Amino acid sequence: MINTRLLLIVVIFALIGKVARAQIAFVEDQDIDKKKANLAGRKPLYSPARCPKHQLLYPGDQQKQNDWVCDCAPATLYFPETDGCYPAYRQGPCEPGQMLVLYKERIIPECIRNPCAKDGHFMIRETCYEFGNTKNEENPCPYKEATYVLGVNPTNLMVDCVKLSVQLETRISDTPEQAPPEYYIELAEKCARGSRLLAQGKCS
């Protein structure tokens, strides 16, 4: 009889524990959703007056004007030693004859030897091609007529054939400036691979 009561008490406590854990998880999920809601409709901006080269102005997770932060534009990499952002697969802060790359399993990019030994060039099957070159004979990409050129895919940070980006206007100043096409402002996401925030561990 005592064993049955003891077993019943243990089962009741176990059920109460499960319900409590479920409620706690539900509350945490709600908090995360609120933070995401604060970002709704807030897009990164091109603001050369406020952000250094190769950076965009990203919204924070609070609905305040002063929570915006400068961080790397898509297809660029944050290099902690100089606290700057540089285009991937370009010389950037590296020595001449090197290029800055970010390997899949890494957070911090590194300088490696560029087989072409020339900035802005990338080797494919023993031939060096220039990034962004639209000349047919010097462009390794298919669909040349659709303006596909050799470049860095801003989504996965790999060398690929990319469509030339459309320039977009900034929304930060009275005299709108155009974001250079290599900024890929339409694809910009906060805390993307290669960003300063991610490298500094400030992304949740």
Side-chain angles (χ1 to χ4, degrees), residues 14-204:
L15 287 173
I16 290 171
K18 281 187 179 179
V19 170
R21 279 195 298 273
Q23 287 176 343
I24 291 169
F26 180 72
V27 171
E28 288 172 354
D29 289 345
Q30 274 190 325
D31 289 343
I32 291 168
D33 288 341
K34 282 179 185 174
K35 286 180 183 176
K36 287 180 180 174
N38 287 341
L39 289 169
R42 305 175 81 202
K43 304 289 184 186
L45 306 173
Y46 174 63
S47 179
R50 291 179 64 178
C51 297
K53 191 174 182 181
H54 303 302
Q55 295 188 31
L56 296 172
L57 192 60
Y58 290 83
D61 57 12
Q62 305 298 318
Q63 291 181 331
K64 298 183 293 188
Q65 287 294 100
N66 61 353
D67 72 335
W68 293 69
V69 61
C70 293
D71 205 342
C72 300
T76 66
L77 306 172
Y78 174 67
F79 195 66
E81 290 179 35
T82 60
D83 193 34
C85 299
Y86 305 90
Y89 296 93
R90 299 293 301 269
Q91 181 179 326
C94 305
E95 298 290 328
Q98 293 184 329
M99 59 183 175
L100 189 67
V101 300
L102 179 63
Y103 292 112
K104 278 188 177 180
E105 66 280 2
R106 304 282 174 85
I107 294 176
I108 305 297
E110 56 190 89
C111 296
I112 65 166
R113 187 180 75 83
N114 182 346
C116 296
K118 190 173 182 183
D119 187 30
H121 289 70
F122 188 80
M123 184 175 284
I124 301 172
R125 295 191 185 107
E126 305 301 319
T127 303
C128 289
Y129 295 96
E130 184 180 9
F131 287 126
N133 196 328
T134 55
K135 295 177 184 173
N136 280 349
E137 65 278 3
E138 297 172 21
N139 182 357
C141 297
Y143 312 114
K144 297 177 182 70
E145 67 282 354
T147 62
Y148 277 85
V149 295
L150 189 67
V152 176
N153 185 319
T155 306
N156 60 22
L157 298 176
M158 302 293 287
V159 173
D160 199 353
C161 290
V162 296
K163 191 171 175 67
L164 288 177
S165 182
V166 178
Q167 291 190 339
L168 299 179
E169 291 184 356
T170 179
R171 288 171 259 163
I172 199 84
S173 64
D174 295 327
T175 55
E177 292 185 64
Q178 289 185 327
E182 66 270 17
Y183 275 57
Y184 293 101
I185 192 169
E186 70 279 7
L187 299 175
E189 288 183 8
K190 191 175 179 184
C191 287
R193 278 190 75 237
S195 68
R196 173 193 279 119
L197 290 174
L198 188 64
Q200 293 177 344
K202 295 180 180 177
C203 299
S204 53

